[in-house]
Every structure is written in structure tokens, then in C-alpha cells.
């Protein structure tokens, strides 16, 4: 194997220069909220980066739970990874359509199952198209490979663990949803959920990490400042949350770029926490930056 990734974030120029490398696997990890059409898989069928395979976040999941796209078992992930042509030696580049909505979820999933040879395409398909680069509707089935997963439970938090954290305050919770959803001023996109946020959590919409024009990640210094402005203490561990565990991974990726990897994702996220029941919910602006 001669190919190596230049880092956790790769440019469109780098990807274009390595499209035909046999050691490279390109994954389209695009995702859309429920009810939005055409769905991401249909978009992929119309156009995608040449050689890309579609990583279906809803399909590569635990189907024994009513919660959406929860992490699958290691055995299930091994099967899906092999079907996508991913081996333990593969260099993987993930992208999504807007730039950083769901690519982070695929990046985090691969790392949670022990594959750290993975990077995100800076600017995603949005930047690729803006530069006039080639796309295709041709779908080629990859040759099946073998993938051995090593699950890292430290990357994931359950509802029970988040409830314990409400008392211990050992980890900071930061929420990737829009400000309106965090404060409770906007209704949740999934019916039946309460509005608001996990008590004591911080708010940083995942869109704050990218340039809205190009979809590219902001410079690392600006990402660091965005988290600090949201009240995050870089010396303490973090739980990232969101609506259903997808955009929380965008925050995890941003923190990774800023040099912070003691970050876990609450996989059930608001889809689990916000259900009618006894989990405590706060509304309003939440914890003040720098506050206790």
C-alpha cells in the first residue's frame, strides 16, 4: 500500500488527484431529515463523485430499536463495511452534500469500530460541484472485502450515562441542533417530542463550524474560538448531542480538528431524551458561557 491520507480533512484537489487509487474508498454519507425528498439515496443515484459508494446511515444501523440509525453491532458493521469494499487497510474519504451535516457521523462510526484511516472531504459535494469537477450516475458494485471491527464503547454514551452525568457533571454536554430547537422556540422535526434541551448543556449549532458559501470547515483557530464562545472548557471531557446522533458527530469532528478527542456522542440524542417521560428538560438559552 502506497497511499496515505494527508490528515483528517482532505481537499477537493487531493481527492481529484487520487480518485483512481486502488487503496482509496470514497463514501457518500449524505443524509436528510425525515420527510425531505428526494431522499439522499435518490440524490446519490443521480450524481455522485466517481467511484463513491453510498453509506446509508439509516440502513447501517441497529434495527432492533425504534430509535433511528443507532449504532449497529460490531458484526453487523463488519458485514456492511465488507459489502462497501472497506478493508482494515483501506484509506477512506467521506463526504456529504452540504459539506458537514452527516459526513461526521460516518467518520465517527468508522472510528468507533476501530478504523482511523478516514478523512472528511472539505466542502463536500457542494464544493466539488462548485469547482466544476466530474460527477456521475454510474454505480459500480465494489468487490467485497473483509473487515474486522474493534468496538470502542468510550465513544458512545447512553441515556443512563447522561442521566448519571446530570449529577456528576464529569462531562460537558454540547448540543448541535439549531438555537431555536435548543431553546424550545422551534418544534422538533420528529412528532411527539418535547422541546428544549438536556439540563446544563451548551449550544453550538453544527452549521457554525463551516463557511455557508463553500461548505468548507472554518480554520481550526476559528473552530476553537466557536467552542470557547459556546462555553466549552477544553480541559474537560465532552458529550455531543443533537436530534438523532448525526450532527453531533460534526461537533465531534470539529473538536478533533481542534485537538480534542475525549469526546463521546449520545447516540439516542434528542429523539430518545425528548420523548414523553421523566427525563428532565430545560428551555431557554441554557447554560451561560463560562457559567457553572
Amino acid at each position: 500500500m502506497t497511499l496515505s491520507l494527508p490528515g483528517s480533512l482532505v481537499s477537493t484537489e487531493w481527492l481529484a488527484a487520487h480518485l483512481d487509487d486502488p487503496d482509496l474508498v470514497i463514501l457518500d454519507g449524505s443524509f436528510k431529515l425525515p420527510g425531505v425528498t428526494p431522499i439522499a439515496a435518490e440524490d446519490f443515484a443521480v450524481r455522485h463523485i466517481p467511484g463513491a459508494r453510498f453509506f446509508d446511515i439509516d440502513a447501517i444501523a441497529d434495527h432492533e430499536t425504534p430509535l433511528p440509525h443507532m449504532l449497529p453491532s460490531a458484526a453487523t458493521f463488519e458485514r456492511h463495511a465488507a459489502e462497501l469494499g472497506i478493508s482494515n487497510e483501506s484509506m477512506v474519504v467521506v463526504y456529504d452534500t452540504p459539506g458537514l451535516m452527516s459526513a461526521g457521523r460516518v467518520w465517527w462510526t468508522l472510528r468507533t469500530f476501530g478504523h482511523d484511516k478516514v478523512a472528511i472531504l472539505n466542502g463536500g459535494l457542494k464544493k466539488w460541484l462548485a469547482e466544476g469537477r466530474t460527477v456521475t450516475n454510474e454505480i459500480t458494485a465494489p468487490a467485497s472485502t473483509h473487515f474486522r471491527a474493534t468496538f470502542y464503547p468510550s465513544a458512545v454514551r447512553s441515556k443512563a450515562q447522561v442521566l448519571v452525568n446530570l449529577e456528576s457533571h464529569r462531562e460537558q454536554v454540547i448540543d448541535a441542533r439549531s438555537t431555536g430547537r435548543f431553546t424550545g422556540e422551534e418544534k422538533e422535526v420528529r412528532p411527539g417530542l418535547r422541546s428544549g434541551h438536556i439540563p446544563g448543556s451548551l449550544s453550538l449549532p453544527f452549521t457554525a463550524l463551516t463557511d455557508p458559501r463553500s461548505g468548507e470547515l472554518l480554520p481550526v483557530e476559528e473552530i476553537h474560538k466557536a467552542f470557547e464562545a459556546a462555553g466549552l472548557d477544553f480541559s474537560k471531557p465532552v458529550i455531543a448531542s443533537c436530534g438523532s446522533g448525526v450532527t453531533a458527530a460534526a461537533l465531534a469532528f470539529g473538536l478533533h480538528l481542534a485537538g480534542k478527542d475525549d469526546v463521546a456522542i449520545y447516540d439516542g440524542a434528542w429523539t430518545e431524551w425528548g420523548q414523553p417521560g421523566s427525563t428532565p428538560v430545560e428551555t431557554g438559552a441554557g447554560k451561560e458561557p463560562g457559567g457553572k
Side-chain angles (χ1 to χ4, degrees):
M1 175 169 289
T2 58
L3 182 69
S4 61
L5 296 169
S8 297
L9 192 66
V10 302
S11 67
T12 51
E13 291 81 8
W14 184 92
L15 182 59
H18 294 89
L19 276 183
D20 297 325
D21 196 299
D23 296 328
L24 180 67
V25 174
I26 306 169
L27 299 177
D28 184 328
S30 298
F31 169 82
K32 291 184 178 180
L33 291 170
V36 178
T37 56
I39 62 173
E42 292 169 339
D43 287 339
F44 176 82
V46 172
R47 63 180 183 186
H48 52 266
I49 293 174
R53 300 120 195 223
F54 185 65
F55 187 105
D56 192 330
I57 289 172
D58 283 322
I60 305 174
D62 179 1
H63 298 292
E64 299 300 315
T65 172
L67 295 171
H69 41 255
M70 295 283 282
L71 277 178
S73 68
T76 298
F77 185 77
E78 286 178 343
R79 175 172 56 81
H80 282 289
E83 289 172 352
L84 286 167
I86 303 170
S87 75
N88 292 94
E89 301 306 315
S90 297
M91 300 294 159
V92 182
V93 172
V94 187
Y95 72 89
D96 63 33
T97 300
L100 189 69
M101 178 187 178
S102 54
R105 173 75 188 194
V106 182
W107 169 86
W108 171 76
T109 299
L110 283 160
R111 286 167 58 89
T112 299
F113 285 111
H115 194 78
D116 59 2
K117 303 180 186 74
V118 54
I120 288 179
L121 177 64
N122 199 8
L125 186 62
K126 181 176 184 177
K127 187 169 189 286
W128 186 270
L129 291 171
E131 294 171 342
R133 299 187 186 275
T134 302
V135 290
T136 184
N137 61 2
E138 294 182 8
I139 299 175
T140 304
S144 183
T145 59
H146 176 75
F147 183 89
R148 182 173 180 81
T150 302
F151 177 62
Y152 289 95
S154 61
V156 192
R157 293 293 178 271
S158 66
K159 183 174 75 172
Q161 289 172 311
V162 178
L163 282 166
V164 169
N165 190 67
L166 287 180
E167 300 299 325
S168 70
H169 304 291
R170 194 185 77 82
E171 297 174 298
Q172 305 162 94
V173 179
I174 190 162
D175 194 316
R177 293 175 299 156
S178 68
T179 301
R181 290 172 68 190
F182 180 87
T183 62
E185 295 170 309
E186 294 176 10
K187 282 189 174 183
E188 282 298 308
V189 294
R190 290 178 172 83
L193 298 180
R194 293 173 289 166
S195 297
H197 57 267
I198 298 168
S201 55
L202 306 169
S203 173
L204 183 63
F206 77 96
T207 51
L209 302 184
T210 56
D211 183 326
R213 296 163 298 180
S214 67
E216 292 177 281
L217 271 291
L218 299 177
V220 172
E221 297 79 9
E222 292 185 34
I223 290 173
H224 197 287
K225 288 178 181 177
F227 280 105
E228 286 188 326
L232 192 89
D233 181 348
F234 271 76
S235 70
K236 292 181 61 178
V238 175
I239 301 171
S241 187
C242 60
S244 63
V246 174
T247 59
L251 297 188
F253 183 71
L255 286 166
H256 169 76
L257 292 181
K260 187 170 181 60
D261 282 317
D262 54 344
V263 181
I265 287 178
Y266 172 25
D267 202 17
W270 197 254
T271 302
E272 181 177 42
W273 193 274
Q275 291 179 11
S278 60
T279 47
V281 169
E282 281 185 352
T283 56
K287 183 177 177 181
E288 290 295 324
K292 300 295 183 184

